[in-house]
Amino acid sequence: MRKILATALAAIAAVTVLTACGPNYGAGPAGTVSDRSAAYFKSGGWRYRLTVTTNDGQDREFRVTRDDYRSCFRGSAYPTCTHRTEGSR
């Protein structure tokens, strides 16, 4: 019984650690979102990218979290689109 309990507690602790420590990618440059892409990698899961057109007309592509990807659509202002408000849920 103790082995089962210890195994269950270890599994719960591992899941808690993995979900609490989400990826922290550096913020991209400010601008207008011009493209979005999501690709699945067999060993690493989903990877999300945004392409932003900066004020000087250059396109910059960078990796973002799933939440940022879901919040930012083409034409939206980055990084403003990453900030959610209570009314937008």
Side-chain angles (χ1 to χ4, degrees), residues 64-78:
V64 294
T65 64
R66 181 179 65 187
D67 289 336
D68 288 350
Y69 178 81
R70 289 182 175 176
S71 298
C72 296
F73 298 96
R74 286 184 182 102
S76 60
Y78 184 86

Side-chain angles (χ1 to χ4, degrees), residues 42-54:
K42 201 172 205 178
S43 62
W46 286 95
R47 294 192 181 171
Y48 302 96
R49 294 189 171 278
L50 292 178
T51 302
V52 170
T53 303
T54 60

Side-chain angles (χ1 to χ4, degrees), residues 10 27 32 34 38 46 61 69 82 86:
T32 303
S34 57
W46 286 95
E61 184 180 17
Y69 178 81
T82 62
E86 289 296 319

Side-chain angles (χ1 to χ4, degrees), residues 1-88:
M1 183 68 177
R2 285 187 178 184
K3 286 183 181 181
I4 294 172
L5 182 60
T7 303
L9 288 175
I12 290 171
V15 168
T16 303
V17 166
L18 290 175
T19 56
C21 300
N24 186 15
Y25 305 114
T32 303
V33 177
S34 57
D35 195 19
R36 303 168 64 214
S37 63
Y40 184 77
F41 291 89
K42 201 172 205 178
S43 62
W46 286 95
R47 294 192 181 171
Y48 302 96
R49 294 189 171 278
L50 292 178
T51 302
V52 170
T53 303
T54 60
N55 290 337
D56 60 0
Q58 295 185 5
D59 288 339
R60 305 280 185 186
E61 184 180 17
F62 52 96
R63 193 166 174 193
V64 294
T65 64
R66 181 179 65 187
D67 289 336
D68 288 350
Y69 178 81
R70 289 182 175 176
S71 298
C72 296
F73 298 96
R74 286 184 182 102
S76 60
Y78 184 86
T80 307
C81 60
T82 62
H83 304 296
R84 296 183 181 197
T85 60
E86 289 296 319
S88 65

